[in-house]
Amino acid sequence: MKRRAELLQLSREHHTALVLAKRAQRLGLGAAADARDFMESLPAIFAEELEPHFQIEEIALLSALRDSSSAKNVSRMVEQTLVEHTALRQLAQEIGAYDFSKLGPFGELLGKHIRFEERELFNLAESLLTPEALARID
């Protein structure tokens, strides 16, 4: 999918997150002992890769979308993004505390969330936001 230059970095980061999502899903189907290293490393991975990405989206992208329109679909997408970010943060914390049962749900939600952002949220941003607003995201 062709993406505006201002959203390219966020879009590229989604690829890395998809790999993480697939790994969590795959490990969640196996034995807890096989997933121990991943569960131990997930909080650091989340803090270094996903949290900064979420912060950019929340501070720059979602704020710009809120400012650009009060349409229900914009509000719904902003709210969905925030709810999913919160849920992913919680799941990552629980996985870091060795809750093996959260691996599959984390991977599934992360994959679903990325597809939502790529297919819906970013398309909405590209259609609503001015070049100046998009440049502030980059």
Side-chain angles (χ1 to χ4, degrees):
M1 175 179 298
K2 184 113 170 99
R3 186 65 63 214
R4 294 274 309 255
E6 298 86 355
L7 295 175
L8 272 179
Q9 184 57 38
L10 288 174
S11 198
R12 285 185 188 118
E13 291 169 4
H14 282 161
H15 174 73
T16 302
L18 277 175
V19 171
L20 185 68
K22 290 292 183 191
R23 186 168 179 215
Q25 287 176 310
R26 187 178 65 254
L27 287 168
L29 295 172
D34 296 335
R36 188 160 185 81
D37 288 344
F38 178 79
M39 292 188 318
E40 197 170 278
S41 65
L42 185 63
I45 293 168
F46 196 97
E48 293 167 13
E49 296 179 21
L50 293 177
E51 188 59 38
H53 177 94
F54 286 3
Q55 290 295 315
I56 290 168
E57 288 177 343
E58 292 170 6
I59 293 167
L61 178 62
L62 299 182
S63 296
L65 283 170
R66 269 194 216 104
D67 293 345
S68 73
S69 174
S70 61
K72 277 192 173 191
N73 69 323
V74 173
S75 296
R76 180 192 62 79
M77 287 190 196
V78 167
E79 183 62 25
Q80 179 178 341
T81 303
L82 292 170
V83 166
E84 290 177 0
H85 283 184
T86 299
L88 287 163
R89 287 175 174 119
Q90 181 64 38
L91 287 167
Q93 186 176 9
E94 291 169 357
I95 291 167
Y98 302 105
D99 187 343
F100 176 74
S101 70
K102 304 302 183 188
L103 274 177
F106 174 81
E108 186 175 319
L109 179 58
L110 184 56
K112 178 180 153 272
H113 176 71
I114 292 164
R115 287 188 297 280
F116 159 72
E117 287 188 349
E118 284 293 327
R119 294 175 183 165
E120 296 182 50
L121 188 69
F122 284 13
N123 288 341
L124 179 71
E126 289 175 333
S127 70
L128 282 181
L129 299 180
T130 65
E132 296 78 23
L134 284 168
R136 285 192 292 275
I137 296 165
D138 188 32

